[in-house]
Amino acid sequence: MKILLKGNEVMCEAAIQAGCRFFAGYPITPQNEVPEYMSHRMPAVGGAFVQAESEIAAINMLFGASAAGARCMTSSSSPGISLKQEGISYITAAELPCVIANMQRGGPGLGNIRASQADYWQAVKGGGHGDYRLIVLGPSTLPELYTLTMNAFDYADHYRNPVLILGDGILGQMAEPVELTPYAPVVDLPEKDFVLDGCAGRKPRVIKTLYLRPALELVHRNELLQAKYDKISSELSLFEEIETADAELIVAAYGITARIAKGAVRTARRNGLKVGMIRPITLWPFPEEPFMRAARTAEKFLVVEMSNGQFIEDVKLATACRRPVEFLGKGGGWYPTPEAIFEKISTMCEKSLAD
Amino acid sequence: MSDAETVMSGQETKIVIAGFGGQGVVVAGNIIARACVIEGRNVTGMISYGAEMRGGTANATVVISEGEIASPVVETPDMAIIMNQPSLDKFEPVIAGGGLLILNTSLVDRRPHRDDLRAVQIAASQIAHELGNVRVANIVALGAFIRKTKLLRPASVEQAIADLFASKKAALVELNIRALNEGMARLVEAS
């Protein structure tokens, strides 16, 4: 049976279903329904909810909760996610699983409370210090937000790495019918042999992020981490392709923008325009293969995003700049409409005919 | 073309419910969306939140479709339930051509300026007052809306009301269903 829920609530319920039993967070619009929902739902399932004194405290509580073996989560929106970056770098260095959600809002600075996708670079290129990677997922609808949130806990445990859910204010605030299907793991879940749960009868374990001696020990640590990131890159690539086979123009978009762009692509097809779409679902690792393939057959690309142009860089990299990539986007809380995207598509297709 | 046909001819039906904070526009949007779920249709709901709510209008947007819904955010609604004067001032200019206005004439003191819109009048606040609780004005207007558009079955809307107020007193469900029926019965087609 489908029920009507807000995106923030859908994400919380998915986390609960997936066995998340520790949540720490601090309020910020447009993700306030997350701590609100967790504050009553967590105690009901025997978990722990902490309204932390700050975002920094919340992410460091995850460091501890994960080291103690809990499936754990925090969420915030853009300025709050910036505050968490130090902790994210530490957790990544310690190779601890956890799930972080960013319901992005307009920036930079305190910005506004409209939806945005301007934290893409921060999410996929590393917002904190050091060479590290987060697995980044970009859900586009509430049913997908439900599934990907459950999957996020599996990927985190499987790879012992934080997973970031990169949502936005629309996804968090909108309501849509969702079927709350039971949780089932999507990857193999290794035994947590790192957990600090008392060493009586076994050798003590150490979780640390400081490597001073010998001098090159940190180089070795980095090599191990990079080998793990290479493994994730080779194994994890999720994307949706719509009518790309004969497309002359490929629209590239992710998250809520992809949902809106899909409407424009459908309209374009009804108008006889050969337009397709590639929607990355994993934003890191970036699904390069469909883009490389499309760059061989399509004439040009259009990137739509709710920022001044961040995701477009990965599209240009994935297509090795073989084809022109045009851009439709603005930062600061601008939303695209299906009509505006269709208009841009039409203009690009007319130009092709003229050339 | 009948109103029901007008509704079905578009791929998506975009509805905005607007009023001042406390008039229950969010609840009305929620009931429409829940009724859609009951009928197994695709629906999205979006509430305008934040700074806007402190000023003249609060609004909720509902998109209904038999196919996939592209955007839950709507710039040009097809129909609007207008609960007060500032909401008419705000939304009249952006309603799609040929669109429909449900006007709460108790709190809207002018006719629409545009002649390409259809309008239905319902003295929602006055009728709610007669029913003993002005807070059900939203449901009275909702009654006029479903009667005019035939977009939803009255039974699904009644079920949605019952579900939404399930944790409250039974009398509240009864009052809201009475409000719905009054709204359906007492709408006035604008001349």
Side-chain angles (χ1 to χ4, degrees), chain A residues 107-159:
Chain A
L110 207 47
N112 64 14
I113 57 173
R114 286 172 65 89
S116 165
Q117 295 181 314
D119 306 344
Y120 179 86
W121 283 336
Q122 183 196 60
V124 306
K125 308 292 179 190
H129 59 283
D131 277 321
Y132 74 87
R133 289 291 190 180
L134 299 179
I135 295 168
V136 183
L137 306 174
S140 186
T141 65
L142 297 200
E144 188 176 60
L145 175 61
Y146 183 75
T147 311
L148 285 182
T149 302
M150 293 198 290
N151 299 349
F153 286 93
D154 294 342
Y155 297 139
D157 280 345
H158 183 78
Y159 293 112

Side-chain angles (χ1 to χ4, degrees), chain A residues 2 4 6 29-30 113-115 169-170 173-177 256 259-260 262-263 266 270 335 337-339, chain B residues 11-12 14 29-30 33-34 37 41-47 49-51 68-73 75-76:
Chain A
K2 285 185 179 176
L4 188 73
K6 275 187 164 189
T29 307
I113 57 173
R114 286 172 65 89
I170 299 177
Q173 292 296 319
M174 68 177 285
E176 188 170 34
I256 196 76
R259 174 187 190 131
I260 299 169
K262 201 170 172 182
R266 300 281 189 223
R270 277 198 302 277
Y335 307 152
T337 59
E339 293 78 18
Chain B
Q11 277 236 311
E12 291 176 357
K14 302 165 191 170
N30 199 338
R34 280 168 179 259
V37 178
R41 301 160 76 179
N42 292 329
V43 63
T44 61
M46 187 80 192
I47 297 156
Y49 58 95
E68 282 181 89
I69 294 167
S71 180
V73 178
E75 287 193 349
T76 52

